[in-house]
């Protein structure tokens, strides 16, 4: 299928004739519904359905769901590693939605493009405004379902980009009430909101993902298991892992990594996939630097980060350098570690990635403590502490203070 698709240029795809076969139009409508359901509950069926839809489109022409066929094929190309091809199909799909006969598909097309495709080539931070505009478009068209999924993307990518947690809290409070009628995106958005609330120190039990957002992992996770909802299970596991990691509990993050990896299909292609692999590697390095599992986690993480950094350096070069530097420090390759961590700090500052910058300063403080350079250790630690406070990740500074008293 990839070879077949490559023979179709951008203009050829845009200029396909309108399909006039009612049977094909109806088949595409049914397949579109199955595709959406398969992503939530049966991800292994997702590629098969998309390939069938693309074959029908190329053979019979455009139907109203054609933008979704093309952007979904772009998602498949992301998964297979062809991120340049993914961008092309995503952009063709968006161009189609500007035409009168395809505008109904625009909210879902935007969701798939912004969640799975765009960030592999373009800076995440620069896309946040586009996501907000997409939410407005979806709400104006009465598409609450994909407005809801876009809200989840906005909260997730805002966290990734290092927006202060107080701002994400305000976003969640203003947007989630508008999609209460949509149970799946509401639940996903509430999970991310609750992560922020916990890190803000606004939960009775800081390690229990439950509270004022309305999300309660004790109810949501068992229900998702019963229903086979892989996306909800994936987000729940990622949030739990992230809560432990961002609060400084590395051993706790390691303890849930197997659960995260078990449900990784629900995160594939998103910015969350990068966070999962970075968090897994760094948590293992700190909790158990000499374990075989740590070597595997770091090897897997670096293999992916190096590819991602080559394709989207503005997003992934700094995290890649951070993992490289942390791993070099754990193996006592101190000169190499210092070079990588300096690079991570420089790249994080250049590309405005405050979460990565805070982590890199903290890792550098650990390096300088290990090598007996007290003044540099204190400077880096003070800078990291201030960065966490600016991000309003209030559980992290408390953890730093406990690990480095005085």
């Amino acid at each position: 299928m990839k070879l077949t698709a490559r023979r179709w240029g951008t203009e050829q795809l845009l200029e396909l004739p309108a399909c006039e076969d009612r049977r094909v139009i109806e088949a595409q409508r049914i397949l579109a519904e199955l595709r959406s359901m398969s992503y939530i509950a049966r991800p292994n069926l997702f590629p098969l359905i998309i390939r069938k839809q693309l074959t029908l489109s190329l053979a019979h022409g455009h139907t109203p769901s054609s933008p979704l066929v093309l952007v979904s094929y772009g998602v498949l190309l992301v998964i297979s590693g062809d991120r340049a091809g993914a961008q092309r199909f995503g952009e063709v799909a968006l161009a189609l939605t500007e035409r009168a006969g395809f505008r109904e598909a625009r909210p879902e097309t935007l969701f798939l493009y912004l969640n799975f495709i765009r960030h592999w080539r373009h800076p995440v931070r620069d896309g946040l405004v586009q996501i907000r505009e997409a939410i407005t478009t979806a709400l104006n068209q009465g598409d609450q379902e994909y407005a809801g999924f876009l809200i989840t993307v906005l909260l997730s990518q805002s966290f990734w980009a290092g927006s202060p947690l107080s701002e994400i809290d305000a976003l969640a409070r203003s947007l989630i009430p508008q999609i209460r009628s949509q149970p799946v995106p509401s639940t996903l958005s509430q999970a991310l909101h609750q992560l922020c609330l916990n890190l803000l120190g606004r939960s009775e039990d800081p390690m229990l993902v439950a509270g004022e957002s309305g999300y309660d992992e004790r109810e949501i996770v068992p229900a998702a298991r019963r229903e086979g909802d892989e996306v909800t299970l994936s987000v729940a596991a990622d949030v739990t892992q992230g809560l432990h990691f961002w609060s400084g509990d590395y051993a706790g993050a390691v303890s849930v990594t197997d659960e995260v990896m078990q449900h990784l299909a629900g995160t594939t292609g998103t910015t969350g996939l990068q966070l999962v692999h970075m968090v897994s590697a760094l948590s293992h390095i700190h909790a158990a630097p000499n374990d075989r599992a740590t070597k595997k986690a770091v090897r897997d993480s670096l293999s992916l980060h190096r590819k991602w950094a080559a394709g989207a350096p503005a997003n992934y070069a700094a995290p890649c350098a951070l993992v490289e530097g942390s791993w070099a420090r754990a193996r006592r390759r101190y000169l190499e570690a210092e070079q990588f961590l300096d690079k991570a700090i420089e790249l994080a500052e250049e590309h405005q990635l405050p979460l990565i910058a805070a982590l890199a300063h903290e890792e550098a403080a650990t390096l300088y403590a290990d090598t007996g350079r007290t003044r540099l250790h204190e400077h880096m630690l003070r800078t990291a502490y201030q960065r966490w406070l600016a991000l309003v990740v209030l559980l992290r500074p408390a953890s730093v203070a406990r690990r480095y008293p005085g």
Side-chain angles (χ1 to χ4, degrees):
M1 175 54 71
K2 188 181 287 190
L3 290 173
T4 300
R6 281 178 178 168
R7 291 202 295 267
W8 290 80
T10 297
E11 291 304 317
Q12 288 175 296
L13 290 170
L14 286 170
E15 298 307 322
L16 280 170
C19 176
E20 297 180 353
D21 188 328
R22 296 305 305 174
R23 292 173 302 173
V24 173
I25 294 170
E26 183 62 14
Q28 287 282 40
R29 186 190 65 78
I30 295 169
L31 287 167
E33 293 180 6
L34 291 173
R35 176 186 48 76
S36 296
M37 290 188 289
S38 72
Y39 175 71
I40 297 291
R42 294 291 183 272
N44 58 314
L45 296 178
F46 187 72
L48 302 176
I49 295 169
I50 292 169
R51 289 190 180 105
K52 181 62 177 176
Q53 285 194 285
L54 185 60
T55 299
L56 288 172
S57 294
L58 296 179
H60 298 279
H62 285 312
T63 69
S65 63
S66 284
L68 300 174
V69 175
L70 296 172
V71 76
S72 296
Y73 185 68
V75 174
L76 279 191
L77 292 177
V78 165
I79 295 168
S80 69
D82 182 5
R83 296 181 179 88
Q87 288 290 328
R88 183 169 78 91
F89 273 83
E91 288 164 8
V92 170
L94 288 178
L96 268 184
T97 64
E98 298 288 350
R99 299 179 181 179
F102 304 101
R103 285 176 188 155
E104 188 176 338
R106 187 164 176 79
E108 187 176 355
T109 303
L110 282 164
F111 162 70
L112 291 167
Y113 176 73
L114 294 169
N115 194 34
F116 296 101
I117 297 175
R118 185 189 179 281
H119 64 95
W120 297 115
R121 280 291 181 271
H122 306 293
V124 170
R125 176 173 295 281
D126 294 349
L128 297 179
V129 170
Q130 189 177 2
I131 302 172
R132 291 190 189 216
E133 291 171 351
I135 292 168
T136 300
T137 296
L139 290 171
N140 287 343
Q141 287 187 204
D143 191 340
Q144 286 202 330
E145 180 182 12
Y146 280 95
F149 284 121
L150 284 160
I151 289 167
T152 302
V153 176
L154 179 61
L155 297 178
S156 174
Q157 293 193 11
S158 293
F159 183 94
W160 189 98
S163 299
L165 296 189
S166 53
E167 291 184 11
I168 300 176
D169 174 34
L171 265 180
R173 290 178 184 281
S174 68
L175 292 173
I176 293 176
Q178 299 183 61
I179 47 121
R180 291 289 187 195
S181 63
Q182 302 299 317
V184 175
S186 288
T187 296
L188 300 178
S189 297
Q190 287 171 327
L192 296 167
H193 186 199
Q194 190 59 49
L195 168 63
C196 296
L197 292 169
N198 279 46
L199 292 172
L200 281 163
R202 285 164 48 186
S203 58
E204 292 184 12
D205 181 344
M207 291 298 114
L208 178 67
V209 189
E212 61 184 278
S213 70
Y215 183 90
D216 189 332
E217 64 180 346
R218 295 167 296 186
E219 299 173 2
I220 298 298
V221 172
R225 286 195 180 116
R226 288 193 300 271
E227 295 166 8
D229 184 345
E230 281 298 316
V231 173
T232 297
L233 289 171
S234 178
V235 170
D238 295 354
V239 163
T240 301
Q241 182 198 47
L243 178 57
H244 284 283
F245 175 79
W246 296 109
S247 63
D249 177 15
Y250 297 118
V254 169
S255 72
V256 299
T257 295
D258 285 347
E259 178 80 4
V260 170
M261 296 303 174
Q262 182 182 343
H263 300 293
L264 201 60
T267 313
T268 298
T270 70
T271 53
L273 180 69
Q274 182 271 324
L275 275 187
V276 161
H277 282 285
M278 183 190 77
V279 165
S280 174
L282 294 177
S283 299
H284 277 86
I285 288 168
H286 280 273
N290 299 315
D291 278 10
R292 183 179 299 176
T294 298
K295 293 177 183 177
K296 182 181 186 310
V298 173
R299 185 172 62 248
D300 292 347
S301 180
L302 284 177
S303 174
L304 292 167
H305 272 88
R306 288 164 183 160
K307 294 174 186 174
W308 298 337
N315 295 328
Y316 301 123
C320 183
L322 172 61
V323 176
E324 297 267 22
S326 301
W327 185 226
R329 178 195 61 76
R331 291 176 295 160
R332 300 185 180 182
R333 298 180 180 179
Y334 294 129
L335 179 58
E336 182 183 340
E338 186 170 0
Q339 291 171 341
F340 273 119
L341 291 175
D342 284 348
K343 182 179 179 182
I345 291 170
E346 180 184 347
L347 288 168
E349 300 290 3
E350 177 185 350
H351 298 299
Q352 300 179 61
L353 304 175
L355 273 179
I356 304 302
L359 281 173
H361 279 91
E362 194 176 315
E363 289 286 342
T366 304
L367 168 66
Y368 293 133
D370 289 350
T371 52
R373 288 178 280 182
T374 304
R375 286 189 178 179
L376 283 171
H377 162 73
E378 290 175 350
H379 169 70
M380 288 294 181
L381 194 63
R382 196 161 45 245
T383 303
Y385 191 89
Q386 291 166 351
R387 296 296 179 92
W388 293 122
L389 287 177
L391 291 165
V392 208
V393 185
L394 299 184
L395 290 190
R396 187 75 180 206
S399 169
V400 172
R402 285 194 301 271
R403 280 183 284 136
Y404 300 102

